[in-house]
Amino acid sequence: VALSSVGADQGMGTGPVDSLHAQEARLRTLPGANVLVLRAGSFFENFFDVLPVIRHQGVTADVVEPERPVPMIATRDIADAAVTALRARDWQGFVVRELLGPRDLSYAEATRILGERIGQPELPYVKLPPDEMAGALVQGGFSADLARLYVELAQAINDGRVRSLEGRTPANTTPTRFEDFADELARAYAAM
């Protein structure tokens, strides 16, 4: 069982997800192996990195369009799906399954939910220009190359190239809601 990402079907122009496309290609060549690839949406846990920005600048910011729906998921749900699959071993050959979280969320909606949980119901989401976002990431400790790749991924999301191929089904919809996960984010924010 291998973790990949929604968008790994693309192969280029999706920033760090490009490497997952290459890894999937390598896994396809394993002779006689049964490989299950879990293509997950964006992790709820990525919002932990936003907490210092909220604390110091009073906003959340990214390159992703504010109202663009994005499949988002809690990593615990990915782990549960992997354990369930390893116990069931219900696939043969090379198989891809998507994991999309309970519903797609926009960054604006996730910011609103998070803002409510931390006592800032008017917390704004700011869409940054690509160059400004890359510069902010470098200031935050990213290498220039990784910042460029991150912005490339965000632009691929905006363009609709990083998206579910299966569509939402009961099998790829996971239980942890962002509304519940936001409580964990709020506790971490309060502890800062």
Side-chain angles (χ1 to χ4, degrees):
V1 174
L3 176 59
S4 189
S5 174
V6 170
D9 59 291
Q10 294 293 302
M12 58 188 251
T14 59
V17 176
D18 290 351
S19 65
L20 295 170
H21 175 85
Q23 177 65 2
E24 286 186 21
R26 285 189 289 274
L27 292 172
R28 283 180 193 274
T29 67
L30 295 174
N34 294 318
V35 176
L36 174 64
V37 171
L38 299 176
R39 287 188 184 161
S42 180
F43 302 157
F44 290 165
E45 287 79 0
N46 293 339
F47 283 91
F48 281 110
D49 295 333
V50 175
L51 299 178
V53 176
I54 295 170
R55 174 72 69 202
H56 299 291
Q57 298 179 4
V59 300
T60 65
D62 208 301
V63 178
V64 176
E65 293 291 338
E67 299 303 330
R68 172 58 112 177
V70 177
M72 294 186 196
I73 186 169
T75 58
R76 69 179 62 110
D77 290 348
I78 299 168
D80 288 346
V83 167
T84 298
L86 286 168
R87 286 184 177 141
R89 296 186 185 249
D90 60 351
W91 75 94
Q92 288 194 314
F94 184 89
V95 174
V96 173
R97 292 183 188 160
E98 291 183 344
L99 296 173
L100 304 178
R103 64 187 173 92
D104 292 357
L105 285 168
S106 70
Y107 278 48
E109 183 179 8
T111 297
R112 181 188 52 74
I113 293 166
L114 177 56
E116 289 171 357
R117 293 304 192 283
I118 63 171
Q120 297 181 33
E122 302 300 320
L123 181 68
Y125 171 79
V126 177
K127 182 184 181 293
L128 295 177
D131 290 342
E132 191 174 327
M133 182 68 187
L137 291 170
V138 169
Q139 282 185 319
F142 278 52
S143 69
D145 188 50
L146 184 56
R148 178 190 58 77
L149 290 171
Y150 179 88
V151 168
E152 183 177 87
L153 173 58
Q155 291 175 311
I157 291 169
N158 288 341
D159 295 343
R161 291 182 290 123
V162 173
R163 60 180 172 74
S164 168
L165 298 179
E166 296 175 9
R168 191 165 292 283
T169 68
N172 65 26
T173 298
T174 56
T176 304
R177 300 175 325 131
F178 188 76
E179 289 83 351
D180 300 323
F181 188 84
D183 292 334
E184 293 178 40
L185 293 166
R187 286 191 295 275
Y189 184 77
M192 293 176 68

